[in-house]
Coordinates of all heavy atoms in Angstrom, one line a residue:
G4 N 0.8 -1.2 0.0 CA 0.0 0.0 0.0 C 0.8 1.3 0.0 O 1.6 1.5 0.9
L5 N 0.7 2.1 -1.0 CA 1.5 3.3 -1.1 C 1.1 4.3 0.0 O 1.8 5.2 0.4 CB 1.3 4.0 -2.5 CG 2.2 3.5 -3.6 CD1 1.8 4.1 -4.9 CD2 3.6 3.7 -3.3
S6 N -0.2 4.1 0.5 CA -0.6 5.1 1.6 C 0.3 4.9 2.8 O 0.3 5.8 3.6 CB -2.1 4.8 1.9 OG -2.2 3.5 2.4
D7 N 1.0 3.8 3.0 CA 1.8 3.6 4.2 C 3.2 4.1 3.9 O 4.0 4.1 4.8 CB 1.8 2.1 4.6 CG 0.5 1.6 5.0 OD1 -0.3 2.5 5.5 OD2 0.2 0.4 4.9
A8 N 3.6 4.4 2.7 CA 4.9 4.8 2.4 C 5.1 6.3 2.5 O 4.1 7.0 2.4 CB 5.3 4.3 0.9
N9 N 6.3 6.7 2.8 CA 6.6 8.1 2.9 C 7.3 8.7 1.7 O 7.9 9.7 1.7 CB 7.4 8.4 4.2 CG 8.7 7.8 4.1 OD1 9.1 7.1 3.2 ND2 9.5 7.9 5.2
W10 N 7.2 8.0 0.5 CA 7.8 8.4 -0.7 C 6.9 8.0 -1.9 O 6.0 7.2 -1.7 CB 9.2 7.8 -0.9 CG 9.2 6.4 -0.6 CD1 9.6 5.8 0.5 CD2 8.8 5.3 -1.4 NE1 9.5 4.4 0.5 CE2 8.9 4.1 -0.7 CE3 8.2 5.2 -2.7 CZ2 8.6 2.9 -1.3 CZ3 7.9 4.0 -3.2 CH2 8.1 2.8 -2.5
I11 N 7.1 8.6 -3.0 CA 6.3 8.3 -4.2 C 7.3 8.0 -5.3 O 8.1 8.8 -5.6 CB 5.5 9.6 -4.6 CG1 4.5 9.9 -3.5 CG2 4.7 9.3 -5.9 CD1 3.9 11.3 -3.7
P12 N 7.3 6.8 -5.9 CA 8.2 6.5 -7.0 C 7.7 7.1 -8.3 O 6.6 7.3 -8.6 CB 8.1 5.0 -7.1 CG 6.8 4.7 -6.6 CD 6.4 5.7 -5.5
F13 N 8.7 7.6 -9.1 CA 8.4 8.0 -10.4 C 8.5 6.9 -11.4 O 9.4 6.0 -11.2 CB 9.5 9.1 -10.9 CG 9.3 10.4 -10.3 CD1 9.9 10.9 -9.2 CD2 8.4 11.3 -11.0 CE1 9.8 12.1 -8.7 CE2 8.2 12.6 -10.5 CZ 8.9 13.0 -9.4
N14 N 7.6 6.8 -12.4 CA 7.9 5.8 -13.4 C 8.9 6.4 -14.4 O 9.3 7.6 -14.3 CB 6.6 5.4 -14.1 CG 6.0 6.4 -15.0 OD1 6.7 7.2 -15.6 ND2 4.7 6.4 -15.1
E15 N 9.5 5.6 -15.2 CA 10.6 6.0 -16.1 C 10.2 7.2 -17.0 O 11.0 8.1 -17.1 CB 11.0 4.8 -17.0 CG 12.2 5.1 -17.8 CD 12.6 3.8 -18.6 OE1 12.2 2.7 -18.3 OE2 13.4 4.0 -19.5
Q16 N 9.0 7.2 -17.5 CA 8.6 8.3 -18.4 C 8.5 9.6 -17.7 O 8.9 10.6 -18.1 CB 7.3 7.9 -19.1 CG 7.4 6.8 -20.1 CD 7.4 5.4 -19.4 OE1 7.0 5.3 -18.3 NE2 7.8 4.4 -20.2
E17 N 7.9 9.5 -16.5 CA 7.8 10.8 -15.7 C 9.1 11.3 -15.3 O 9.4 12.5 -15.3 CB 6.9 10.5 -14.4 CG 5.5 10.2 -14.7 CD 4.7 9.7 -13.5 OE1 5.3 9.0 -12.7 OE2 3.5 9.9 -13.4
L18 N 10.0 10.4 -14.9 CA 11.3 10.8 -14.5 C 12.1 11.4 -15.7 O 12.7 12.4 -15.5 CB 12.1 9.6 -13.9 CG 13.5 9.9 -13.5 CD1 13.6 11.1 -12.4 CD2 14.2 8.7 -12.9
Q19 N 12.0 10.7 -16.8 CA 12.7 11.2 -18.0 C 12.2 12.6 -18.4 O 12.9 13.5 -18.7 CB 12.6 10.3 -19.2 CG 13.4 10.6 -20.4 CD 14.9 10.6 -20.0 OE1 15.4 9.6 -19.5 NE2 15.6 11.6 -20.3
F20 N 10.9 12.8 -18.3 CA 10.3 14.1 -18.6 C 10.8 15.2 -17.6 O 11.2 16.3 -18.0 CB 8.7 14.0 -18.5 CG 8.1 15.4 -18.8 CD1 7.9 15.8 -20.1 CD2 7.6 16.1 -17.7 CE1 7.3 17.1 -20.3 CE2 7.0 17.4 -17.9 CZ 6.9 17.8 -19.2
A21 N 10.8 14.8 -16.3 CA 11.3 15.8 -15.3 C 12.8 16.1 -15.6 O 13.2 17.3 -15.5 CB 11.2 15.2 -13.9
I22 N 13.6 15.1 -15.9 CA 15.0 15.4 -16.2 C 15.1 16.3 -17.5 O 15.8 17.3 -17.4 CB 15.8 14.1 -16.4 CG1 15.8 13.3 -15.1 CG2 17.2 14.3 -17.0 CD1 16.3 11.9 -15.2
N23 N 14.4 15.9 -18.5 CA 14.5 16.7 -19.8 C 14.0 18.1 -19.6 O 14.6 19.0 -20.2 CB 13.8 16.0 -20.9 CG 14.4 14.7 -21.3 OD1 15.6 14.5 -21.1 ND2 13.7 13.9 -22.0
Q24 N 13.0 18.3 -18.9 CA 12.4 19.6 -18.7 C 13.1 20.5 -17.6 O 13.2 21.7 -17.8 CB 10.9 19.5 -18.4 CG 10.1 18.9 -19.5 CD 10.2 19.7 -20.8 OE1 9.9 20.9 -20.8 NE2 10.4 19.1 -21.9
N25 N 13.4 19.9 -16.5 CA 13.9 20.6 -15.4 C 15.3 20.4 -14.9 O 15.9 21.3 -14.3 CB 13.0 20.3 -14.2 CG 11.5 20.6 -14.5 OD1 11.2 21.7 -14.9 ND2 10.7 19.6 -14.5
L26 N 15.9 19.3 -15.3 CA 17.2 19.0 -14.8 C 18.1 18.5 -16.0 O 18.6 17.4 -16.0 CB 17.2 17.8 -13.8 CG 16.3 18.1 -12.6 CD1 16.1 16.9 -11.7 CD2 16.9 19.2 -11.7
P27 N 18.2 19.3 -17.0 CA 19.0 18.9 -18.2 C 20.4 18.6 -18.0 O 21.1 17.9 -18.8 CB 18.8 20.0 -19.2 CG 18.5 21.2 -18.3 CD 17.8 20.7 -17.1
Y28 N 21.0 19.0 -16.9 CA 22.4 18.8 -16.7 C 22.7 17.4 -16.1 O 23.9 17.1 -16.0 CB 23.0 19.9 -15.7 CG 22.2 20.0 -14.4 CD1 22.6 19.3 -13.3 CD2 21.1 20.8 -14.3 CE1 21.9 19.3 -12.1 CE2 20.4 20.8 -13.1 CZ 20.8 20.1 -12.0 OH 20.2 20.1 -10.8
L29 N 21.7 16.7 -15.7 CA 21.9 15.3 -15.1 C 22.1 14.3 -16.3 O 21.3 14.3 -17.2 CB 20.8 14.9 -14.2 CG 20.7 15.6 -12.9 CD1 19.5 15.1 -12.1 CD2 21.9 15.4 -12.1
R30 N 23.1 13.5 -16.2 CA 23.3 12.5 -17.2 C 23.6 11.2 -16.5 O 24.2 11.2 -15.4 CB 24.5 12.8 -18.1 CG 24.3 14.0 -19.0 CD 23.3 13.8 -20.1 NE 23.2 15.0 -20.9 CZ 22.1 15.8 -20.9 NH1 21.1 15.5 -20.2 NH2 22.1 16.8 -21.7
G31 N 23.2 10.1 -17.1 CA 23.5 8.8 -16.5 C 22.6 8.4 -15.3 O 23.0 7.6 -14.5
L32 N 21.5 9.1 -15.1 CA 20.7 8.8 -13.9 C 19.9 7.5 -14.1 O 19.3 7.2 -15.1 CB 19.6 9.9 -13.8 CG 18.9 10.0 -12.4 CD1 19.8 10.1 -11.3 CD2 17.9 11.1 -12.4
N33 N 20.0 6.6 -13.1 CA 19.4 5.3 -13.2 C 17.9 5.4 -12.7 O 17.0 4.9 -13.3 CB 20.2 4.3 -12.4 CG 19.8 2.8 -12.7 OD1 19.3 2.6 -13.8 ND2 20.2 1.9 -11.8
F34 N 17.7 6.0 -11.5 CA 16.4 6.2 -11.0 C 16.4 7.3 -9.9 O 17.5 7.6 -9.4 CB 15.7 4.9 -10.5 CG 16.4 4.3 -9.3 CD1 16.0 4.7 -8.0 CD2 17.3 3.3 -9.5 CE1 16.6 4.1 -6.9 CE2 17.9 2.8 -8.4 CZ 17.6 3.1 -7.1
A35 N 15.2 7.8 -9.6 CA 15.1 8.7 -8.5 C 13.8 8.5 -7.8 O 12.8 8.0 -8.3 CB 15.1 10.1 -9.0
L36 N 13.8 8.7 -6.5 CA 12.6 8.7 -5.7 C 12.4 10.1 -5.1 O 13.4 10.8 -4.8 CB 12.7 7.6 -4.6 CG 12.9 6.2 -5.0 CD1 13.2 5.3 -3.8 CD2 11.7 5.7 -5.8
V37 N 11.2 10.5 -4.8 CA 10.9 11.8 -4.2 C 10.1 11.5 -2.9 O 9.2 10.7 -2.9 CB 10.1 12.7 -5.2 CG1 8.8 12.2 -5.5 CG2 10.1 14.1 -4.6
D38 N 10.5 12.3 -1.9 CA 9.9 12.2 -0.6 C 9.3 13.6 -0.4 O 10.1 14.6 -0.3 CB 10.9 11.9 0.5 CG 10.4 11.7 1.8 OD1 9.1 11.8 2.0 OD2 11.1 11.4 2.8
M39 N 8.0 13.7 -0.3 CA 7.3 15.0 -0.1 C 7.4 15.3 1.4 O 6.9 14.5 2.2 CB 5.9 14.9 -0.6 CG 5.8 14.5 -2.0 SD 6.7 15.5 -3.2 CE 5.8 17.0 -3.2
L40 N 8.0 16.4 1.8 CA 8.2 16.8 3.2 C 7.2 17.9 3.5 O 7.4 19.0 3.0 CB 9.7 17.2 3.4 CG 10.7 16.2 3.0 CD1 12.1 16.8 3.1 CD2 10.6 14.9 3.8
K41 N 6.2 17.6 4.2 CA 5.1 18.6 4.5 C 5.7 19.9 5.1 O 6.5 19.8 6.0 CB 4.1 18.0 5.5 CG 3.0 18.8 5.7 CD 1.9 18.2 6.6 CE 0.7 19.1 6.8 NZ -0.3 18.5 7.6
G42 N 5.4 20.9 4.4 CA 5.8 22.3 4.9 C 7.3 22.6 4.5 O 7.8 23.6 4.9
Y43 N 7.9 21.7 3.8 CA 9.4 21.8 3.6 C 9.7 21.8 2.1 O 10.4 22.6 1.6 CB 10.2 20.8 4.3 CG 11.6 20.9 4.2 CD1 12.4 21.8 4.9 CD2 12.3 20.1 3.3 CE1 13.7 22.0 4.8 CE2 13.7 20.2 3.2 CZ 14.4 21.1 3.9 OH 15.8 21.3 3.7
G44 N 9.1 20.8 1.4 CA 9.4 20.7 0.0 C 9.5 19.2 -0.4 O 8.8 18.4 0.1

């Protein structure tokens, strides 16, 4: 259950889009996970 996890995984397409649009300087990235920190970012 994702509701019990404190992170949200990106699928490959979403991650690739984020890299291409927002992080073009990253190369060779295998995967990334994002942890939403309430009130922090």
Side-chain angles (χ1 to χ4, degrees):
L5 279 176
S6 61
D7 295 334
N9 62 2
W10 46 261
I11 302 167
F13 280 98
N14 69 35
E15 186 177 344
Q16 292 79 18
E17 292 169 330
L18 179 57
Q19 189 62 49
F20 178 79
I22 291 169
N23 289 340
Q24 296 298 311
N25 303 303
L26 305 169
Y28 56 91
L29 289 178
R30 297 286 183 250
L32 191 62
N33 198 18
F34 66 87
L36 298 173
V37 64
D38 185 1
M39 304 306 287
L40 306 172
K41 185 176 181 180
Y43 183 77

